[in-house]
Amino acid sequence: MEVLFGRNKKEQPEPVRAKVTGKIPTWLQGTLLRNGPGMHTVGETRYNHWFDGLALLHSFTIRDGKSEVYYRSRYLRSDTYNANMEANRIVVSEFGTMAYPDPSKNIFSKAFTYLSHTIPDFTDNCLINFMKCGEDFYVTTETNYIRKINPHTLETLEKVDYRKYVAINLATAHPHYDSAGNVLNIGTSIVDKGKTKYVIFKIPAAAPANRTKRKSPLQHTEVLCSIPSRTLLSPSYYHSFGVTKNYIVFLEQPFKLDILKMATAYIRGVSWASCLAFHREDKTYIHIVDQRTGKPVSTKFYTDPMVVFHHINAYEEDGCLLFDVIAYEDSSLYDCFYLDNLKQGFEGNSRIVPVPTLKRFAVPLCTDKNAEVGSNLIKLASTTARALKEKDDQVYCQPELLCEGLELPQINYAHNGKQYRYVFAFEVQRSPIPNKILKYDILTKSFLRWGEEHCWPSEPVFVPTPDAKEEDDGILLSAIVSSDPQKLPFLLILDAKTFAELARAYVDVDMHLDLHGLFIPDTDWDPRKQAPSQEVQDRASSQT
């Protein structure tokens, strides 16, 4: 694990041509973007948690149907990055690492720093994912900040604060897109006008036409619904959510952020992560919001305590809503990614590695008022998931357990919000670090796998073939990091239907493990509209 997590990675801003083996399908033309932490040490200071590292963007560009692949990488020039580089130490706090002022600062400067952390201005180190908004592309994290980028050069462009458009302090890094291209997302508004709530909002695919200048769709952000937090000062942590054509699925889970503890964390000398706690005595509440009315379904659904980071998909069937998630029994997965734990490894200590379970839930969209208490309200033949009626208009949801041992799930997004059959993910066995890519068939409960010794895959990204007829007609892209110094990292291209290996694109670079990514077909973006402003160009020049 030391080879994977022990050192900072070098950026490669100029394109490097890959050595391709095998044959890349001629129709596959575009750019695979990947995002994740690449730097964990600044000067003499070090981040505590892998998720805290400075964002390093990288990409594989496939061109002209000639099996030409080019790689490049750049650190996100966030305000966080720039401040850390200027000070040559970590000066901006991340979730698992609290930054403290330079000991040489005077008492007034220190006092101001303490005060500013009481109600923190969170980091803009957007290291998790990407988002397409209108004609623009952004990198995302779980704070109120996103950063616009040029997806071709990976240059950092404007900084965007969600709070200018919607009253939220935190937001997921996993937005959804509806059939019109509108962006759907959820954020948490902390003690706004005396209330803490979860805000579901929509960003239109395009701003209304303006003859004078092109406006950002963000300026037309619309709140669809607000759900009050069950506790004013302890809102739920969540990483993603589910959508169907008509509904949004939000899980208010008992993995909670204590706002009072967060406000005093800096003074107490602890990280914000220490203010998160799993309450195993509590329930997980299932909120179903009707997108057409902007109102939650009135029935109160709940299930057992669990922690979900990734929703897979959701869909409607015969008056019911089904949704699939990767669930954990507690919040211990986060602890696995502290750098000290990663460097020690997990072999022989599997008890600390939580088991991810694919669970399917089913909720009735209309409940029978005359149904007996204790009766199962789900009559579908397609699932064994149950919804048991209780008193006081409550329904207890008991999931169907589909399989174990997979994470970072992906689907053919054309089937998002619809009935589907296949999940593409990586396999997790005895370690939170993946060493296999898998395809899970929900219908037959069978698996296909790809793995190779000393190879560590990233989340597989599905790209459909042109005019695809079946759900798994397409290819999978995964960036593979090698822990063998004799083997170069590479882009792996698999046939998504058979898992036959089609091609590899080896690159002689210092590639890093990452989190999430996005494939942009050449037809989906216009390079002329991604040029950085003169101000950004001048700032970038001054940093080199």
Side-chain angles (χ1 to χ4, degrees):
M1 293 300 172
E2 179 73 25
V3 119
L4 299 175
F5 300 101
R7 57 186 174 79
N8 293 343
K9 300 298 182 180
K10 298 176 182 178
E11 66 178 0
Q12 179 60 54
E14 296 302 319
V16 173
R17 184 167 178 174
K19 178 182 178 182
V20 176
T21 61
K23 184 169 178 57
I24 299 174
T26 55
W27 57 264
L28 183 63
Q29 298 181 40
T31 299
L32 174 68
L33 297 174
R34 304 293 306 169
N35 195 356
M39 184 185 300
H40 289 90
T41 302
V42 183
E44 298 299 317
T45 57
R46 191 195 76 160
Y47 289 111
N48 297 325
H49 201 279
W50 189 62
F51 295 161
D52 293 343
L54 294 173
L56 179 56
L57 316 180
H58 60 152
S59 67
F60 289 89
T61 299
I62 304 167
R63 282 283 173 260
D64 303 328
K66 298 178 182 178
S67 289
E68 290 185 2
V69 178
Y70 295 89
Y71 175 89
R72 73 170 80 213
S73 65
R74 283 182 189 267
Y75 278 101
L76 180 72
R77 264 48 177 193
S78 60
D79 290 355
T80 297
Y81 176 94
N82 292 333
N84 287 347
M85 294 302 107
E86 182 178 355
N88 194 34
R89 64 193 307 273
I90 297 169
V91 295
V92 180
S93 296
E94 298 292 338
F95 206 64
T97 306
M98 192 65 77
Y100 288 92
D102 190 317
S104 64
K105 285 190 175 182
N106 62 43
I107 190 170
F108 299 105
S109 178
K110 289 181 180 180
F112 178 79
T113 304
Y114 275 84
L115 181 64
S116 68
H117 276 75
T118 302
I119 304 175
D121 185 21
F122 291 114
T123 179
D124 67 335
N125 178 33
C126 301
L127 79 159
I128 298 179
N129 205 356
F130 297 88
M131 176 179 79
K132 183 180 181 183
C133 181
E135 297 172 337
D136 300 322
F137 292 87
Y138 296 84
V139 283
T140 63
T141 184
E142 295 186 316
T143 72
N144 51 288
Y145 292 116
I146 56 177
R147 295 294 307 229
K148 184 179 175 182
I149 64 160
N150 182 315
H152 177 60
T153 65
L154 304 183
E155 290 174 281
T156 304
L157 305 177
E158 291 87 335
K159 178 181 179 179
V160 174
D161 187 347
Y162 273 136
R163 292 175 299 183
K164 290 183 178 180
Y165 312 107
V166 58
I168 56 173
N169 305 91
L170 304 166
T172 84
H174 286 281
H176 277 286
Y177 308 91
D178 65 18
S179 57
N182 303 310
V183 179
L184 300 171
N185 207 351
I186 299 181
T188 300
S189 179
I190 300 174
V191 198
D192 178 49
K193 299 177 182 177
K195 296 180 180 179
T196 295
K197 55 192 175 183
Y198 312 107
V199 180
I200 302 172
F201 59 97
K202 179 170 73 173
I203 306 170
N210 186 305
R211 293 183 180 180
T212 57
K213 62 178 180 178
R214 184 174 70 93
K215 286 191 174 182
S216 167
L218 284 158
Q219 295 176 286
H220 300 273
T221 299
E222 170 191 359
V223 173
L224 297 182
C225 178
S226 294
I227 301 171
S229 170
R230 297 183 67 85
T231 49
L232 176 67
L233 297 176
S234 296
S236 172
Y237 170 83
Y238 52 96
H239 186 71
S240 61
F241 61 102
V243 299
T244 71
K245 179 181 178 180
N246 298 307
Y247 296 92
I248 291 172
V249 183
F250 169 65
L251 300 180
E252 190 175 10
Q253 52 196 10
F255 189 24
K256 299 179 180 180
L257 180 62
D258 189 314
I259 302 303
L260 291 180
K261 286 185 177 180
M262 187 178 75
T264 60
Y266 191 83
I267 297 173
R268 292 184 292 114
V270 299
S271 69
W272 291 319
S274 70
C275 307
L276 271 173
F278 179 66
H279 300 263
R280 62 180 67 253
E281 75 284 356
D282 207 345
K283 302 171 181 175
T284 300
Y285 294 93
I286 303 169
H287 299 282
I288 309 296
V289 176
D290 192 325
Q291 293 189 58
R292 297 162 295 187
T293 64
K295 295 181 179 180
V297 173
S298 59
T299 306
K300 308 301 180 186
F301 301 105
Y302 77 93
T303 188
D304 297 321
M306 63 179 182
V307 173
V308 169
F309 295 98
H310 295 112
H311 285 246
I312 302 176
N313 202 1
Y315 60 92
E316 300 161 41
E317 180 183 350
D318 294 337
C320 297
L321 189 152
L322 290 82
F323 65 94
D324 298 342
V325 297
I326 304 295
Y328 295 86
E329 292 184 349
D330 57 30
S331 59
S332 58
L333 178 69
Y334 185 84
D335 294 336
C336 291
F337 285 90
Y338 279 100
L339 290 178
D340 287 344
N341 290 335
L342 287 172
K343 289 179 181 180
Q344 290 173 7
F346 300 94
E347 292 299 327
N349 196 18
S350 59
R351 65 180 180 81
I352 72 170
V353 180
V355 178
T357 305
L358 199 171
K359 296 184 177 181
R360 169 164 289 181
F361 289 87
V363 298
L365 293 170
C366 295
T367 55
D368 183 357
K369 300 293 184 182
N370 299 318
E372 295 183 3
V373 171
S375 62
N376 180 18
L377 303 177
I378 303 299
K379 309 300 181 184
L380 301 175
S382 62
T383 181
T384 60
R386 303 199 298 169
L388 305 178
K389 183 176 180 180
E390 296 184 345
K391 296 179 180 179
D392 303 323
D393 198 32
Q394 290 198 104
V395 175
Y396 167 62
C397 297
Q398 190 176 68
E400 176 183 1
L401 306 183
L402 295 178
C403 69
E404 292 183 343
L406 68 162
E407 249 298 2
L408 295 198
Q410 290 282 300
I411 63 169
N412 178 342
Y413 203 76
H415 290 255
N416 192 56
K418 306 173 185 177
Q419 283 189 301
Y420 76 117
R421 179 171 175 176
Y422 301 108
V423 181
F424 307 99
F426 61 55
E427 188 171 47
V428 178
Q429 296 287 348
R430 299 182 298 280
S431 167
I433 313 304
N435 60 6
K436 287 185 175 66
I437 301 170
L438 61 79
K439 173 185 180 180
Y440 177 63
D441 186 329
I442 296 173
L443 183 63
T444 65
K445 306 296 190 292
S446 61
F447 291 90
L448 292 177
R449 291 178 173 86
W450 179 94
E452 190 169 294
E453 191 174 9
H454 305 302
C455 287
W456 308 89
S458 68
E459 156 205 74
V461 173
F462 179 86
V463 183
T465 58
D467 304 318
K469 299 292 190 297
E470 297 183 344
E471 182 183 336
D472 58 349
D473 283 345
I475 56 97
L476 292 179
L477 301 175
S478 179
I480 310 293
V481 175
S482 171
S483 54
D484 180 352
Q486 304 303 314
K487 181 181 291 187
L488 293 176
F490 58 95
L491 174 67
L492 175 68
I493 303 176
L494 294 178
D495 184 315
K497 185 179 290 292
T498 65
F499 258 44
E501 184 173 318
L502 301 179
R504 297 184 181 193
Y506 289 96
V507 285
D508 190 2
V509 297
D510 194 17
M511 203 160 80
H512 62 303
L513 289 174
D514 56 32
L515 290 167
H516 296 292
L518 174 73
F519 182 77
I520 310 173
D522 279 350
T523 54
D524 278 14
W525 67 289
D526 185 345
R528 294 169 298 178
K529 296 177 179 177
Q530 304 299 327
S533 65
Q534 188 62 49
E535 177 187 355
V536 172
Q537 293 183 55
D538 293 342
R539 186 166 66 245
S541 297
S542 68
Q543 293 165 4
T544 57

